[in-house]
């Protein structure tokens, strides 16, 4: 598409709906960072979809942060950012370690597991549900419903109903008995969110957080298991785990396509004339491999966080540090306890599914030496710092004894 059309390409969405696909890194940033030219409000779209269009669940306007512009966006984003800021970051790390060990204990004795269905999906659901205020008994059913809903299966509508029901009940419970959780923070915020707005933003938060965090962990673990270049940089000490996650977000971002935008007026973008009301799709994965900024895709990018995985501008993901914390701490704990993980199938047999916005890794079967469960009192603390403010610098190895080797030294140093 880039060779034929340049950095912005005309495309047809399901139902032969016309749109523009933004391929260039610079052009993606231009759209993300100029809300005066590009609206998030789908009511500005110059297309009216039929009631059976598969695009409706993604594009139909809702009273949500992601569809808001201007002052309304500022009001909603302030509530989201402030409420997320009140979540105890240190407690996230503790819960990630706890739940990771519980999940490993459930399959460690078998010597086999699926790192998506047995680990990444469940860990993300358990941690995020707790931060939101959802009871532990509802966490895994909630996570399964979110994944089913995003997949667009035949039961997606029923799954969405379950998510709405759990979040509506959560709002009522927290109105009666607030706590230190995201739902309570939303309800008490000075922006005076309505109950409906709180429920909708909780629903949106669990969908975005669960799907993206699960995909990030799955993609990172796959790279560790299959990419020799990736392994070599880790084992050689040229990549820290935070750097490694950034590399994953360059090469395999959790979302391939970001939120839609709608032109407020006729605009020349990347050499194409985009008419007022036209839809543009933000190509996150495409922008990350733009040859103008990455002429050699084999060169590692340690410490470089200018990827598009979390978007940019006023709609940049407000919870990205939490997603990184879950992925970083969870992967570190997993590979510390199971350092001899290896794929149980050929790489060509891995199961992927694609949608309009992402390529999802559905399964990563692995095998390892069977192990006993680890008593809770002896849970090994992970090396990784869960919430690095900036990318960790590359540190040259020094001859200093450490209490234990890092997971990548154990995992990659085996014969």
């Amino acid at each position: 598409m880039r060779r034929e059309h340049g950095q912005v390409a005309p495309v047809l969405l399901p139902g032969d709906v016309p749109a523009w696909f933004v391929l260039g890194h610079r052009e993606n940033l231009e759209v993300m960072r100029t809300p005066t030219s590009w609206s998030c409000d789908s009511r500005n779209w110059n297309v009216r979809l039929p009631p059976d269009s598969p695009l409706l669940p993604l594009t139909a306007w809702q009273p949500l942060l992601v569809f808001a512009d201007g002052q309304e966006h500022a009001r909603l984003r302030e509530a989201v950012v402030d409420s997320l800021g009140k979540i105890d970051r240190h407690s996230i790390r503790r819960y990630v370690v706890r739940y990771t060990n519980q999940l490993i204990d459930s399959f460690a004795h078998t010597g086999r597991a699926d790192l998506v269905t047995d680990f990444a999906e469940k860990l993300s659901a358990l941690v995020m549900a707790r931060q939101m205020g959802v009871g532990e008994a509802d966490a895994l059913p909630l996570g399964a419903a979110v994944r089913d809903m995003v997949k667009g299966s035949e039961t997606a509508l029923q799954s969405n109903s379950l998510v709405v029901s759990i979040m509506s009940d959560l709002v009522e419970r927290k109105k009666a008995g607030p706590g230190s959780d995201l739902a309570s923070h939303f309800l008490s915020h000075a922006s005076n969110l309505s109950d409906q707005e709180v429920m909708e933003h909780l629903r949106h938060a669990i969908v975005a957080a669960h799907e993206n965090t699960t995909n990030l962990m799955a993609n990172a673990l796959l790279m560790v298991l299959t990419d020799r270049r990736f392994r070599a940089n880790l084992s050689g000490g040229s990549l820290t785990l935070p750097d490694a996650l950034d590399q994953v977000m360059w090469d395999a971002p959790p979302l391939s396509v970001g939120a839609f935008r709608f032109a407020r007026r006729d605009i020349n973008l990347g050499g194409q004339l985009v008419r007022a009301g036209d839809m543009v799709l933000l190509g996150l994965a495409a922008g990350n491999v733009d040859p103008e900024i990455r002429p050699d895709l084999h060169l590692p990018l340690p410490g470089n966080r200018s990827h598009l995985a979390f978007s940019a501008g006023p709609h940049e993901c407000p919870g990205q540090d939490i997603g990184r914390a879950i992925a970083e701490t969870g992967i570190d704990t997993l590979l510390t306890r199971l350092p001899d993980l290896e794929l149980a199938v050929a790489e060509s047999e891995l199961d992927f599914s694609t949608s309009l916005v992402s390529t999802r890794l559905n399964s990563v079967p692995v095998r390892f030496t069977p192990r006993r469960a680890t008593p809770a009192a002896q849970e090994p603390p992970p090396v990784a710092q869960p919430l690095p403010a900036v990318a960790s610098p590359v540190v040259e190895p020094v001859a200093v004894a450490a209490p234990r080797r890092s997971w990548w030294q154990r995992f990659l140093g085996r014969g």
Side-chain angles (χ1 to χ4, degrees), residues 38-44 61 65-69 259-262 264 315:
W38 305 94
S39 172
C40 293
D41 191 333
S42 60
R43 293 173 295 186
N44 291 318
W61 182 87
L65 176 72
V66 292
F67 289 99
D69 295 323
F260 312 117
R261 297 289 193 277
F262 306 92
R264 294 182 182 273
H315 285 268

Side-chain angles (χ1 to χ4, degrees), residues 308-325:
L308 302 175
F310 294 121
S311 189
H315 285 268
E316 183 176 6
C317 176
Q320 57 186 275
D321 61 334
I322 296 176
R324 286 184 64 101

Side-chain angles (χ1 to χ4, degrees), residues 48-66:
R48 292 294 174 264
L49 298 174
D52 60 346
S53 171
L55 295 173
L56 272 176
L58 294 172
T59 62
W61 182 87
Q62 302 170 62
L64 277 173
L65 176 72
V66 292

Side-chain angles (χ1 to χ4, degrees), residues 17-80:
V17 175
W20 298 97
F21 188 51
V22 187
L23 302 164
H25 188 274
R26 179 182 60 192
E27 287 75 15
N28 269 285
L29 289 177
E30 179 181 339
V31 175
M32 294 172 182
R33 291 173 172 171
T34 52
T36 54
S37 299
W38 305 94
S39 172
C40 293
D41 191 333
S42 60
R43 293 173 295 186
N44 291 318
W45 195 6
N46 56 19
V47 169
R48 292 294 174 264
L49 298 174
D52 60 346
S53 171
L55 295 173
L56 272 176
L58 294 172
T59 62
W61 182 87
Q62 302 170 62
L64 277 173
L65 176 72
V66 292
F67 289 99
D69 295 323
Q71 290 301 313
E72 181 63 5
H73 172 259
R75 180 181 75 91
L76 296 173
R77 186 172 177 88
E78 181 182 20
V80 171

Side-chain angles (χ1 to χ4, degrees), residues 223-244:
M223 282 196 178
V224 169
L225 292 168
T226 62
D227 190 320
R228 291 185 178 182
R229 171 182 60 100
F230 197 71
R231 285 195 188 193
N233 289 328
L234 281 173
S235 61
S238 61
L239 275 183
T240 65
L241 184 52
D243 291 337

Side-chain angles (χ1 to χ4, degrees), residues 188-211:
S188 64
H189 194 268
S191 294
N192 294 320
L193 300 180
S194 68
D195 290 358
Q196 183 69 19
E197 287 176 327
V198 171
M199 188 281 292
E200 291 288 359
H201 281 85
L202 288 169
R203 173 182 169 276
H204 174 73
I206 190 62
V207 172
H210 183 44
E211 183 72 5

Side-chain angles (χ1 to χ4, degrees), residues 266-284:
D266 291 357
I267 300 173
N268 188 302
L269 179 68
Q272 301 280 12
L273 179 58
V274 180
R275 296 291 186 182
D278 282 0
M279 172 195 279
V280 299
L281 290 77
L282 300 174
L284 308 182

Side-chain angles (χ1 to χ4, degrees), residues 88-90 92 321-322 324-325 328-329 385-390:
D88 183 353
R89 268 47 178 175
H90 295 291
I92 292 177
D321 61 334
I322 296 176
R324 286 184 64 101
E328 185 181 325
T329 309
Q385 294 299 313
L387 294 169
V390 294

